[in-house]
Amino acid sequence: MRSYSIGRAARLLGVSPDTVRRWADAGKLPTHRDSGGKRLIAGTDLAAFATALAADSGAADEGGEPYTSARNAFPGIITAVKLGDVAAQVEIQAGPHRLVSLLTREAVEELGLAVGMEAVARVKSTNVHIDRT
């Protein structure tokens, strides 16, 4: 079974290493130590925690998050908006992920999308490729 360092787990979860350490210290995320004393997180434990974390943050709440059938949500900041006559391209940096969406110019204008705004890219697809690292 593969184990992950605190830093690698933080990158995969999109948080800081300090946040992962706090979760581990609070008993929310199990860790073990290797022969050198380095804290590690079992891959199965990290996967379960990531799933639970996403489920906790994915539901609509008093903060106004919408209910949606698109389960893959990437909150981030808009880094580029390119407007054409009919179409537009919007780029969002969501943690380590750069997402690019092609949509109508009208939709961009109605939503008032601009560089520096917070936004959530939601992905719903019937064709998703997965690369093993």
Side-chain angles (χ1 to χ4, degrees):
M1 167 184 14
R2 180 166 180 185
S3 292
Y4 295 88
S5 68
I6 296 287
R8 183 69 181 147
R11 285 188 296 277
L12 292 169
L13 295 171
V15 298
S16 73
D18 285 338
T19 296
V20 174
R21 282 187 202 93
R22 282 192 294 275
W23 286 334
D25 292 343
K28 295 179 180 180
L29 183 58
T31 62
H32 63 277
R33 296 199 183 262
D34 66 7
S35 59
K38 183 178 178 181
R39 286 172 90 173
L40 298 173
I41 302 163
T44 53
D45 290 335
L46 183 58
F49 184 80
T51 301
L53 186 64
D56 288 345
S57 65
D61 59 14
E62 300 83 37
E65 281 294 312
Y67 285 108
T68 179
S69 65
R71 301 218 181 261
N72 303 308
F74 297 89
I77 188 165
I78 297 175
T79 57
V81 176
K82 299 174 186 168
L83 296 174
D85 291 337
V86 176
Q89 179 177 311
V90 177
E91 293 182 22
I92 295 176
Q93 191 68 40
H97 309 290
R98 176 181 162 262
L99 297 126
V100 179
S101 178
L102 301 176
L103 57 164
T104 65
R105 179 186 182 118
E106 180 182 14
V108 170
E109 291 170 347
E110 284 179 5
L111 291 169
L113 300 179
V115 172
M117 291 179 64
E118 288 185 53
V120 177
R122 296 195 187 274
V123 179
K124 187 169 184 177
S125 175
T126 57
N127 189 10
V128 175
H129 297 264
I130 298 174
D131 296 332
R132 182 175 171 192
T133 58

